[in-house]
Amino acid sequence: MTDLKEGVCLSAFWYSHEQCCWTSNETTFEDRDKCPQWQKWAELMTGHSEGAGAYVLNYLLYVMWALLFSFLAVSLVRVFAPYACGSGIPEWTLLIKTVTLVLAVSSGLSLGKEGPLVHVACCCGNLFCGLFSNRLVLFYVEYHTPWYMAELVPFILLGVFGGLWGALFIRANIAWCRRRKTTWLGKYPVLEVLAVAGLTAVVAFPNPYTRRSTSELISQLFNDCGALESSQLCDYVNSPNMSRPVDDIPDRPAGPGVYSALWQLALALVFKVVVTIFTFGMKIPSGLFIPSMAVGAITGRIVGIAVEQMAYHHHDWIVFRNWCRPGADCVTPGLYAMGA
């Protein structure tokens, strides 16, 4: 349902963008996100996918879908199951928790689904105690380059950042929750959810890294840049004489797409930090695991790219000299995102 904010799959409306393009025979690997079966709302309604008019229409519909999903989520919780809000597990509210969790996450609010899913799992366990669920892998990452001792310094700094971010979030969120109880926000939780969801959608849409779902964002930040990757994060300047295997691509100078992505990720980091503080604690199902992972992954990817470029342009520095020779695959930015 998250992708419904941007468009619809004509062959099966319940498919996400990625699932819709899996079945397409007209899509190449490089353009795997572009297929005739998936259309954005402006293209479907007006026949035009480019231009200012199409952008504004897509923008408005993105915000409208976010408001609709969040309104349904908070209304169902408020009317049928007040204990379904948050991520705790004190009451049996399986149906409302499941439905409103989907709506809340699909609205684009800065919240996760892991905590509420624990609640759902406990409800299911209470009903079907004789059945056992399989383990699922949320993110699958594969690397072919080891890390080096010198990289412990940025890893430690990322750990320090994580601790500071956690302390900031706890203090700021507690202060906001106290204010919520003493102002009109505590009396009108539906309006609070609509206001935060609307503001989140308005600010998130212009940035491609905040427009997509948080799980997709984390997955992209974790991924290593293979030979066939075409995202901005993998827009490196390739040497015309490079003939390395796919799994052994040397460090390369960053292209304009990487620098553009760094600015967008920096803005996404500030956005995620601020909006998560105001989102967690509202009267809807919400988890904190995924938003926290996103903040760490964004920071780690930025630091990883910075270390990678320093190693490439200054491989003669003493810190890089012993383990990063010219033309070698020394630094993997995705590993920093995963470690953070």
Side-chain angles (χ1 to χ4, degrees):
M1 291 180 67
T2 301
D3 289 345
L4 272 177
K5 299 201 300 291
E6 298 189 57
V8 64
C9 182
L10 300 180
S11 58
F13 70 90
W14 57 88
Y15 278 178
S16 67
H17 189 176
E18 184 179 11
Q19 291 171 324
C20 185
C21 293
W22 280 348
T23 61
S24 176
N25 296 324
E26 307 173 39
T27 307
T28 63
F29 182 84
E30 291 81 358
D31 298 322
R32 54 191 177 277
D33 291 333
K34 300 177 182 178
C35 60
Q37 288 86 355
W38 177 267
Q39 288 191 0
K40 293 186 176 181
W41 291 115
E43 183 180 4
L44 182 64
M45 295 179 176
T46 66
H48 301 285
S49 60
E50 304 293 337
Y55 182 85
V56 172
L57 181 57
N58 285 328
Y59 201 153
L60 291 175
L61 288 170
Y62 181 92
V63 176
M64 289 177 60
W65 277 108
L67 289 173
L68 175 62
F69 290 152
S70 59
F71 174 74
L72 291 175
V74 68
S75 298
L76 289 172
V77 169
R78 184 173 175 79
V79 174
F80 295 104
Y83 287 106
C85 65
S87 61
I89 39 183
E91 296 289 335
W92 189 91
T93 51
L94 173 59
L95 178 61
I96 300 301
K97 190 82 169 187
T98 303
V99 174
T100 54
L101 175 60
V102 173
L103 293 169
V105 172
S106 299
S107 71
L109 288 166
S110 184
L111 46 82
K113 53 186 177 290
E114 288 63 40
L117 283 178
V118 174
H119 190 173
V120 172
C122 290
C123 293
C124 293
N126 186 45
L127 291 175
F128 309 107
C129 58
L131 301 178
F132 298 91
S133 60
N134 296 324
R135 293 183 61 187
L136 298 178
V137 178
L138 187 59
F139 303 107
Y140 174 76
V141 186
E142 183 176 358
Y143 293 105
H144 306 276
T145 304
W147 61 274
Y148 298 89
M149 288 296 295
E151 292 181 283
L152 282 177
V153 175
F155 285 156
I156 292 173
L157 293 178
L158 287 173
V160 172
F161 169 80
L164 293 175
W165 149 240
L168 170 65
F169 171 80
I170 292 173
R171 293 180 65 90
N173 186 251
I174 290 176
W176 177 248
C177 289
R178 287 174 178 167
R179 182 171 181 80
R180 179 186 288 124
K181 292 181 179 180
T182 58
T183 61
W184 64 270
L185 292 173
K187 299 179 181 179
Y188 305 100
V190 175
L191 291 179
E192 181 192 9
V193 171
L194 290 177
V196 174
L199 183 61
T200 299
V202 168
V203 178
F205 185 84
N207 190 333
Y209 294 106
T210 52
R211 185 189 312 168
R212 68 190 62 185
S213 71
T214 309
S215 297
E216 292 179 359
L217 170 62
I218 295 173
S219 180
Q220 183 177 1
L221 293 173
F222 281 5
N223 283 339
D224 193 10
C225 287
L228 299 178
E229 292 293 335
S230 57
S231 68
Q232 277 190 316
L233 285 171
C234 297
D235 182 27
Y236 289 90
V237 179
N238 293 314
S239 171
N241 300 321
M242 187 183 71
S243 58
R244 293 291 190 90
V246 174
D247 294 336
D248 188 25
I249 299 177
D251 288 346
R252 299 155 290 170
V258 174
Y259 289 113
S260 176
L262 286 176
W263 282 108
Q264 292 172 338
L265 285 176
L267 294 175
L269 176 62
V270 175
F271 171 78
K272 287 290 184 183
V273 167
V274 174
V275 78
T276 302
I277 291 173
F278 293 98
T279 301
F280 193 74
M282 295 193 301
K283 298 300 182 181
I284 51 175
S286 58
L288 195 55
F289 180 63
I290 286 294
S292 299
M293 283 188 66
V295 171
I298 293 172
T299 307
R301 188 76 185 209
I302 293 174
V303 172
I305 293 175
V307 174
E308 176 194 47
Q309 293 305 300
M310 283 195 298
Y312 176 82
H313 292 287
H314 305 285
H315 53 81
D316 57 335
W317 286 6
I318 188 171
V319 67
F320 301 122
R321 190 183 305 162
N322 295 330
W323 59 276
C324 191
R325 66 184 185 280
D329 184 11
C330 303
V331 181
T332 305
L335 190 60
Y336 287 72
M338 184 173 64

